[in-house]
Each structure stands twice: as C-alpha cells, then as structure tokens.
Amino acid sequence: MSSPARQVGTRRLPPLPLHKRGATSPHAKPLRTQPAYVGPSSRFSSATYEHMIVTGQSTPLSNGSSRIHAARGSQLSGDSIDGSPEHIYPEQVKAYLNENPTFLEEYVLNNVNQEDLERWLIRRAQRGSHTTTKDIGKVNSSNSPPRRLSRWKFCVHKDKRKMLQELTRDIHRHANKAEVLNELTDCIASAINADGSHLYLLEDNSMEIYLYRPSNLIDNTTRWKVDKGSTIAGFVAHSLQTVCTSEITADGHHKDPKYPDGMAVKVGNIHSILALPIIQSNGECIGVMEMYKNHGNGTFGEEDEEIANSYLVWGGIALYYAEMFQNIQRQRKLNEFLLAVTKSIFQDIVSMDAVIMKIMNYAQRLVNADRASLFLCDTKTRELYARIFDVGNGEGPQPATKSQKEIRFPMEKGIAGHVASSGETLNIPDAYLDGRFNRDVDIQTGYVTKTILCMPIYIRGNIIGVVQMVNKRNGVFTKSDEDSFETFAVYCGLALHHAKLYDKIRRSEQKYRVALEVLSYHSQCTEDEYEELRRVALPETAPEVARYEFSPWNLEEEAKPLYVLCMFRDLFGLTNFDYDDLCRFTLSVRKNYRKVPYHNWTHAFSVAHAIYTVIKTSPGMFTHSECLALFVACLCHDLDHRGKNNAFMVNNATPLAAVYSTSTMEHHHFNQTVTILQHEGHNIFRNLTADEYKTVIGEIKHAILATDLALFFGNKDKLKAIVDSGKFDWQDQEHRLLSKSIAMTAADLCATAKPFHVSQQVVLNIFEEFWQQGDEEKAHGRQPIPMMDRDRAHELPANQVGFIVGICMPCYELLYRILPGSKPMLDGTSKNLQNWSALVAKQKAEEENKKENEKKDMKIENVKKKESEPKVVKAEKT
C-alpha cells in the first residue's frame, strides 16, 4: 500500500470552482501527476498543487501577508492551475475546503508540522478567551522586523524540556513565591528578547502593588494603586488584561487614559512594553510581569505575547504545585513542631509555671519573635495577670522573683486587654502607631517595641489567656505566622487546661490525704478500747453460741467483740493469726458501722453468727479458705451502711452511685473491708502466703456482693435448676460459688429464722429504717414504695408475709437441700411465717369486725333519724 502522501498525489482531485464569469485562464497548465515535495519548511505546499498563487485579499492562511508562496524564496508564477482562473477569491477556497474536509484533513496531517499546529491552537484559544489590549499598529507590516519563528521553535519547542527543567529546579530551590515569580519573569524576558523586566506584587489588601527587586530585596517605600487611570501595571492588575503597546512618550507616560502614567518604574529610551497579569488557579491576581524594549530593538508582537503566555500558563501550574509542595512541607514541619510541643508539655506537667514557660519558649521559636508574654484571665476580677516574664537577657521566660511581683491590669486595657475582651487577633506592624499600645514599659526598660502579634487562647469556647509575641527578628509577622500560631494556640489551651486540672488534682490529692489521715484516726479503734478487750480472757467454751436460736440482740454491746473472737478461735484457731491484729480488726469493724436502726454492728454480728452455725453444722462442705472468707465477709458485709438501699443512692445521684454503677453499697462495703485491713496492726491475713491472701480477698468480695438481693434471684434460679436436675456437685467450682452465694443470703436474712418475739422486734427495726428512707424520698418530692411509706405502716404484717414467701422460704428450702444441717433455719422461718400469717388474719378479722360495727352503727343512726322525723312533722301541724 502506498503512503498517504503518494495517494493524495496520484489521484485526481475535484476541480476548483471557476470564476463566476466562467472565463478560463489563458495560462492554465495541466495538473502534475507526481508531487513536488519541498520539505517541512514549506508549510503551505501541497502534494497536488505545486504552485498556488492567491492575489487580492489576504486569506486566513496568509496571516496578513499579501501572497502565499508554495516554497520559501520561490518566484511567483502567473500560470493558472488545471484551467482555473488566475485570481481565486478566499471565499472560493473556504467553500472548497468546507465541501472537501477529507482533503483538508489529509493535507494538514501530511504537510503542516506540529509546531505550526500548536501555534495556531494557542492563537485560537487566546482569541476566544479574552481580548488583548493592543495599539501597536501593524506589527506585521512590511516595515516590521521579520518574525522570529526559528527562535520560537528553538525556545518553546526544541529546547523547551531543558529550559523548563532548569526553571523547575529554580522553583524548588527558591524559598518563596516572589523569588519563583522573579525567576519566571527573567526566563520570559530572555525568551522574547526583552531589554529588561519588572515584577510587581500585590499587597494583601489587593489595592496596591509594589516593585519586587532581586536578591530578596523588596521596595516597600513606593506603591502604586490598582486601578485604571494610573500605571500600566496597575491597570493590568485591575482589569486582568494583557497590555502590549509601543506608544510611550519620551518621559515614560502614555497617551491612553486607561494608563496615562505609563510605566510605574521610569526607565529611559523605552519604545515597547508588554505587561501580563499573574493569575492563580482560584482567579486571584497576585502580580504583574512587565517587559520592555528600548528604541532600535523593535517592538513586541503577537508571537511574543504567545511565548509569554505559554511560559506563564505553565509557570502558574508549576507554581501552584510548587506552592502546594511547600505548604505540605511547612505543615509537616509544623506538625513535627506541635508533636514536640505536645510531648514536652504533657510529659512534664509538674506545675502551671512550668507549662507557661514551655509555651512561651515554643511560641518564640515558632514565629521567630524576640520576646514573648503570656497573660491568664481572671474572670472573677476581670483582670489579666502574669507571673512569668521574658526580660530579654537571653535566658528566656523566667518565673517572677521576690522583687518582681505578679502583675495585674484590667482586661480592657492595652493590646492584650483588647484581645482578651474581643477575641480578635492583632498583627501590628508598628506598635507606636497603634493607640492601644502602652509605651510606659519601653520608656522604663529602654526596649523598643516594633511589631506585635497578639492572639487569644481558647478552651471550650472561652478565652483563658492571651499570648503576645514582640518584635519578629526578620521583618514583620506574616499571615503565615498567624495561621501557624493559631494552630499552636489550640495546643496551648489544652496544655493550660490540663495544667489547671493537674493543679486541682494535686491539691485535691493533698486534701484527700489529710482527710484520709483524719478518717483513719477516727475509723480505727483507740488504744484504750484495744487494751480493754485485750485484758479480757477468752472463755474456753460458749456452747450456746453454736445454736441457731441464739439471739445476738440479747447480748451486751461490749460482749459482742469477745464472742466474735470466740467464734473465730473455734473455727480457725489462733496459730496462724495474730491475736492483737484480731482484736484491733474486730473493734475497728464495729466502729465503722453507723448507728442506723437495722444495718448496724448488731446486724453484722448476727449474720456472722448465722454463717458460723452453718459452717459448724455442715462440716467438710467448705474449705478452710472459704470458711475464713465467709466469716469475715459476714462480719463486714454492711460496713458504713447509711440506712438507704441501692435504688436510693442511684436516684439521688450520690457520689457512691457515681463510683459504683451496680451493687453500689455492696462494692462500698468490700472496699471498706480492704481499707480496714490496710491499717497498721489490722491485717489479720498477714501470715498467709501471697496466693492464699489473693484467694481469700477474692472470696470475700464474691461473698459480700452476693448479699445484694438483686443478684439473689438469678443465683437461686441457677442453683435450683442444677439441684432439680440432680447434677449438683460440690467439686464443680460454679456450683460451689452458687452455694456460697445462697449461704450468704441465708445468713443475711437470719432474723426471720429467730424465735418470733426476737424476729418481730428486728422486723420493727427494719421497717423503721425503711420508713426513714421513705420520709426522705417524700421530702425530695418522690413517692416511696408502699413498704417504705410510713402512712401504710399497718400493712407491715402483710409485707412481711410476702417477703418470707417470696424470698426467705425459697432461700432456706434450697439451702436445706444442699446443706441439710441448716434445717433449723428453715423450720424457724416456717414458724414465723405462720405467726405473721396469723397476724394478717387477725388484722383482717379486726377490719371486718370494724366494718360490721360501722354498718350496725349506721343502721342505728338511720333508725334514730326515722324515729325523730314524725315528731317534727306533728309539731308543725299543731
């Protein structure tokens, strides 16, 4: 298959349209069948038409020239082609190309080089996107210098990679945006053969421009406004339009009223100026590039503008990503800095002053300030105060000395006061021009304050302090300093907040230690109490104690500790236990029970006695450690009871309920037990091994928590299901735990198994405690449950029957099935149930008799009324 060029050259094309008069050219020549290829430099040559002459109007392809030549430097031919007329109008060529798009496409693909295509695309994009302000006249006339197409090809295309690579290296090498733009300006000026260039940058307020000079020097003295009617650079920054002009007067001004001042920076012998806006990706103008040529060096043309725009478009993209990279690098360094701040501050929180000094040191390093101050807010007095000062001696912030007292001033005074009151960040480039600045300090110290950056510190939306940076070492504080310091201020707020919390916790800890010392003193038995108990000899035997019917409520108060020691000796002996520790422990346990109607020391003694009888009547069922834990747990199971149940603690949001969400009081009782054991001379388990001690403490906790009746029902159902299935096994640890839980509940309810006269009195004590809780609930506006309502005290027998039937009887029946020796507790409870039921029946009979008597009284009253009514009637008739 032949090449596309050969195919186009050998096939006959449709004839061009003839002149409208139909005349044929006398100079027509036959069409050549072989293409005459003249090389890529002949951009308009064709494989079919070796010579083509268009006279008259210029065509779009001519780019303003009077003729298009098939080959550069060829002689014009007057011969017509293929019988076509000598003069062909551009409209005819356009019509032909529109009717033959395939021919146009093949011609362009095979005869127009890529560089021309790119140049055409750039021109088309520029004509469609914005209007260029030009008044340079006919820059492409015959008098104009020849086009620099070879230079365009060399600079923009052939050597583009090398130049752009060098520019890219410069972008990454330079530290800021201004330096990058200055380098880009120099590259563009070199590419378009400009004699010089200026770079103007916009101020932050976008209302003025200033000249950027090389070597990091910025001319801050002279500024020009951004508006029309001033300079060329000001107009370009305002309109965002490119200006290309050569009408510059001798004094550097311009005739156009849009920019009559001409060049902002006057340079002699200027002939042509090209000024372009530098626009970021967000549409914001950040500067203006201004290139110029002197007289005798020609003028800027359309291709110069294309070259400049090409570089500027690429440079803007490269600058955007370079700036993004620099921002990422800057953010990474800031993150590393903040991480170091966080580690340093939060790892070494020892005092508020230490944190403040670290904050001030880091703040100085962050924005390169000469001095730093941190003022804290006193919301009560509406003042700012500081006790850390940086006096500029090179040692950084230091605490106030004795001669240097803490300073305070109103929150509305000075720059720091304004920031604390308004929450506004202040960046002051010249402190002496700000009316809020107080010069007295400078006058006293001789220090000269120039620049100030002052920012509030927030925590939870409230201003807790103000940080003030003074005198940036290399210029003024920038917007970047503000952004970085704003992030740093968040960490400052957290650090100060945690430092305050740490101070509070430390003070609270000291108060807690003092309170603990006081409580320990008052919660321990006195030496007199200990000596008194120690002098009393333990009786050899106490047979009545081993009976279930034994009533602890009939004992004298001073005898109960002695009975505890007797039971302890009977169960465990005194070989492995220090008797002095036992005496102190028993007396301190008694002292930590409050004087409430029921949950008091006597109740604890009765429960300990109950578990003692269970252990004595069920030998071998529990291990030595389990027996020890059960007995101590029963003795301590209600330590520090306040006479209120768990529901009351939770509903009233007491501190105990906040600490323990479930089994509130039971957890507190266990912790009180451990606290007493930790007192000096109270650890009765000190002779146990570490494993034995850990086991016993764990058993005690389990046993005390089991006294929570909320857990009883679940324990009872599980154990009953196991016993009913015949799978109960004392070797199973879960079965043993359930058995010990039920034994603890049975011991806790032992009052219901005592003789009725004893049980009845204890029940009255229980309900008195219930009614006191009910009274307090009424005082808080809550209605207590019926059992705790004193107004329904007459329902006590019925409540007791329900309690025994629902809780006590199921507990003792189940205990009897696994520990048959506990049968006396079941029997005693059954008898008391009968007695309470009899009282309920008696109450009902009395109520019925009362109702009957009330009915009889009503009948008698009605009869009397009827008998009296006729007498009244007769008297009226008489």
Side-chain angles (χ1 to χ4, degrees), residues 397-412:
Q398 299 294 326
T401 60
K402 293 182 179 179
S403 61
Q404 200 174 23
K405 297 181 180 179
E406 174 183 277
I407 63 170
R408 284 179 172 267
F409 56 89
M411 198 174 289
E412 295 79 13

Side-chain angles (χ1 to χ4, degrees), residues 98 141 251 298 487 495 498 507 509 582 586 588 631 633 761:
N98 288 335
S141 63
D251 58 356
T487 305
H498 282 82
R507 289 194 298 268
E509 184 180 2
L582 281 171
T586 304
S588 294
F631 184 79
Q761 184 58 45

Side-chain angles (χ1 to χ4, degrees), residues 839-863:
L839 285 177
V840 173
K842 183 181 178 181
Q843 264 190 346
K844 288 183 178 179
E846 290 175 353
E847 289 178 0
E848 290 178 359
N849 290 334
K850 186 178 179 180
K851 289 180 181 179
E852 288 295 331
N853 292 334
E854 288 177 354
K855 288 181 181 180
K856 289 179 181 179
D857 292 341
M858 288 293 294
K859 287 181 180 180
I860 294 173
E861 189 67 28
N862 290 334
V863 171

Side-chain angles (χ1 to χ4, degrees), residues 338 341-342 345-346 359 366 455-460 464 467 483-498:
L338 294 176
V341 171
T342 305
I345 291 178
F346 288 96
I359 288 175
L366 179 64
M455 185 170 292
I457 298 176
Y458 287 90
I459 191 69
R460 296 180 179 177
I464 63 171
V467 178
D483 296 338
S484 300
F485 200 80
E486 184 177 0
T487 305
F488 174 71
V490 176
Y491 290 82
C492 293
L494 290 174
L496 292 174
H497 180 65
H498 282 82

Side-chain angles (χ1 to χ4, degrees), residues 142 325 383:
S142 56
F325 173 76
E383 290 179 325

Side-chain angles (χ1 to χ4, degrees), residues 543-688:
E544 72 279 5
V545 178
R547 292 184 295 106
Y548 281 103
E549 296 80 9
F550 176 77
S551 175
W553 290 271
N554 296 330
L555 283 177
E556 294 291 336
E557 190 67 24
E558 298 301 325
K560 291 171 185 173
L562 197 62
Y563 273 79
V564 170
L565 295 174
C566 288
M567 290 187 287
F568 192 93
R569 183 189 63 183
D570 186 28
L571 289 175
F572 314 111
L574 298 177
T575 305
N576 295 326
F577 302 94
D578 186 90
Y579 186 70
D580 293 337
D581 292 348
L582 281 171
C583 291
R584 291 190 181 92
F585 179 79
T586 304
L587 291 172
S588 294
V589 166
R590 182 184 69 174
K591 195 167 188 176
N592 279 270
Y593 274 95
R594 301 194 181 196
K595 297 184 182 300
V596 293
Y598 174 67
H599 291 95
N600 48 36
W601 162 245
T602 302
H603 167 65
F605 177 79
S606 67
V607 176
H609 170 261
I611 204 68
Y612 166 76
T613 56
V614 171
I615 294 172
K616 291 291 288 185
T617 57
S618 307
M621 294 299 182
F622 299 108
T623 66
H624 180 270
S625 297
E626 290 173 337
C627 292
L628 181 61
L630 288 171
F631 184 79
V632 175
C634 286
L635 196 66
C636 303
H637 81 284
D638 274 332
L639 276 171
D640 196 43
H641 201 291
R642 287 89 188 278
K644 308 294 187 296
N645 60 13
N646 289 335
F648 181 89
M649 293 293 174
V650 173
N651 293 334
N652 286 276
T654 61
L656 281 178
V659 176
Y660 312 112
S661 58
T662 59
S663 300
T664 302
M665 294 305 302
E666 287 72 26
H667 277 102
H668 178 58
H669 303 326
F670 169 71
N671 285 335
Q672 287 296 106
T673 303
V674 175
T675 300
I676 294 174
L677 286 170
Q678 290 175 344
H679 291 330
E680 185 178 356
H682 289 69
N683 188 3
I684 60 176
F685 304 132
R686 64 176 178 172
N687 293 327
L688 301 179

